[in-house]
Amino acid sequence: MRRLFPSPTAPADLENREWGFDELADAYAYPAATAAGRPWLRANMVSSLDGAAHHEGRSQPLSSSADMRVFGTLRALADAVVVGAETVRQEGYRPARAREAFAARRAALGQPPAPVIAVVSAGLDLDFSLPLFTGPLVPTLVLTGEAAPAERRDAARAAGAEVVVAGEGRTVDVARIPEVLAARGMTRLLTEGGPRLLGQFAAAGVLDELCLSLAPMVAAGAAPRIAGGPALAVPERFGLASVLEEDGFLFTRYRKDADV
């Protein structure tokens, strides 16, 4: 891996070598304001050269070993990983695991050994017998509306998940999610999509940062873009914060405020 932007300041940044987890963690560190209680929502997505967010329903075919190292680093830095119910179903989500390489860093920040997985689901149409709900190191959260089916809320709790209300009626107000999680002490937030949830976060104006892995592949087909849903009235501009490269993959990072 090598740094393309900002301009490398050390010879090591120019070397095409495998970066260690400490280097990646420093490169993707959250803003200091998160320690003071300000939530920061970043997204991590992968896209093919022609804009496909996945291939045959899964993102793994567009990934690489370097992409997985970045993926693991971003998870290991987060307090909570926010994900849509459809992505949980399609990707076969499992609980986040503790990573020894990040144990000291997480302990110093007062974080548990692994991030919380927070599943956004209005209807709670989820298989609560899965390990994501029955066997995580830290209880999985289910973010739903206040009028979600009572029997499904009971099933979630019986499996060991915590049900958190983040919306009125049977809908989830995604604009409230960062503050709802921050009130529970989770300010370093990461969303892995899917495209519909990311589009909702973008439309709500609560997305602070986008980490986009650009895969050197052409997928064609009818796969969606990384963000779906209604168009924003005015496209929102993000500033380029960094670009890393390995094996033709570009690991870009854009921030709403690139100077943070």
Side-chain angles (χ1 to χ4, degrees):
M1 185 168 287
R2 58 198 176 109
R3 186 188 305 277
L4 302 182
F5 180 84
S7 299
T9 57
D13 289 338
L14 292 167
E15 296 177 11
N16 194 6
R17 60 185 175 81
E18 183 174 313
W19 282 26
F21 285 121
D22 282 340
E23 290 175 288
L24 286 172
D26 290 341
Y28 286 99
Y30 278 86
T34 57
R38 191 273 201 220
W40 182 269
L41 177 63
R42 69 166 34 143
N44 180 36
M45 301 291 283
V46 64
S47 170
S48 67
L49 293 175
D50 55 331
H54 55 66
H55 182 65
E56 297 183 342
R58 301 183 67 241
S59 59
Q60 190 278 331
L62 301 180
S63 188
S64 69
S65 60
D67 182 52
M68 293 309 298
R69 292 200 307 276
V70 171
F71 172 90
T73 298
L74 293 178
R75 274 198 163 199
L77 296 176
D79 296 324
V81 179
V82 187
V83 63
E86 183 61 21
T87 297
V88 167
R89 290 188 287 263
Q90 290 288 333
E91 300 279 355
Y93 259 58
R94 299 185 65 82
R97 60 191 179 92
R99 311 269 312 251
E100 182 60 34
F102 298 95
R105 188 181 292 258
R106 291 187 66 86
L109 292 173
Q111 295 173 303
V116 171
I117 304 294
V119 183
V120 181
S121 178
L124 302 183
D125 183 18
L126 297 161
D127 182 355
F128 292 116
S129 69
L130 295 176
L132 175 62
F133 303 103
T134 62
L137 283 173
V138 287
T140 294
L141 301 183
V142 180
L143 303 170
T144 193
E146 62 183 3
E151 69 277 9
R152 299 305 297 158
R153 283 183 285 166
D154 290 343
R157 294 188 182 104
E162 294 185 27
V163 178
V164 179
V165 173
E168 299 177 355
R170 294 187 66 167
T171 62
V172 179
D173 182 357
V174 298
R176 290 179 53 189
I177 289 177
E179 293 298 338
V180 166
L181 293 176
R184 301 172 71 91
M186 303 174 209
T187 56
R188 303 169 186 90
L189 307 178
L190 170 68
T191 181
E192 297 170 350
R196 182 170 176 270
L197 180 60
L198 179 55
Q200 291 175 325
F201 279 135
V206 295
L207 182 66
D208 296 297
E209 180 178 337
L210 173 61
C211 298
L212 176 61
S213 299
L214 186 62
M217 304 174 188
V218 173
R225 293 155 47 192
I226 64 167
L232 276 67
V234 178
E236 187 170 19
R237 176 113 186 206
F238 282 61
L240 181 63
S242 66
V243 182
L244 306 175
E245 184 275 337
E246 184 171 312
D247 294 334
F249 281 76
L250 295 179
F251 302 99
T252 67
R253 187 163 56 98
Y254 291 87
R255 288 185 170 190
K256 190 179 296 185
D257 181 354
D259 295 327
V260 173

